[in-house]
Amino acid sequence: MQVLVRDNNIDQAMRVLKKKMQREGIFRELRQRKHYEKPSERKTREKAEAIRRNRKAARKQMQREGLLPMPKPKPKLPGRGRPGAGSGTGTGGARF
């Protein structure tokens, strides 16, 4: 895994690295490897994960086909996201 550091901006490079590691599942694997897991427990966990994945995929497929109602959209909370982005009601000044 490689991350480029631009203009000696270590903070940004660290954020990018953490995001890449999160996407790859490295943090999850580290947590699992902290303690020994018996092979039988591993099989049970992996089987449960596969069942969960299959159920989620089937539920999404049924929603696409119209057999199940689509999930309700989550309400947008004010004050989230980047400062200055959004509805234009921030302190960015008037735009004409």
Side-chain angles (χ1 to χ4, degrees):
M1 197 172 300
Q2 187 176 16
V3 176
L4 296 175
V5 180
R6 297 181 186 160
D7 300 328
N8 289 331
N9 193 347
I10 303 283
D11 294 332
Q12 182 185 8
M14 287 295 293
R15 278 196 304 271
V16 171
L17 177 65
K18 284 182 183 178
K19 190 179 258 187
K20 282 186 177 185
M21 290 172 72
Q22 183 75 33
R23 228 177 278 135
E24 292 289 324
I26 292 175
F27 292 126
R28 191 177 337 126
E29 189 175 337
L30 284 175
R31 250 194 324 273
Q32 287 175 356
R33 288 179 184 237
K34 249 184 197 179
H35 303 288
Y36 178 74
E37 185 177 29
K38 289 171 37 178
S40 60
E41 291 173 347
R42 181 178 175 202
K43 285 179 192 173
T44 306
R45 178 182 51 81
E46 287 177 351
K47 193 178 244 183
E49 287 173 357
I51 291 170
R52 208 174 306 124
R53 270 194 314 271
N54 288 335
R55 282 186 183 157
K56 184 176 181 180
R59 187 172 57 245
K60 286 203 174 267
Q61 182 67 33
M62 290 175 74
Q63 286 174 345
R64 274 189 236 110
E65 293 173 357
L67 300 174
L68 284 177
M70 294 297 279
K72 295 179 183 174
K74 295 181 182 177
K76 299 246 180 182
L77 297 175
R80 294 289 198 161
R82 285 189 350 248
S87 62
T89 58
T91 59
R95 294 187 185 160
F96 296 102

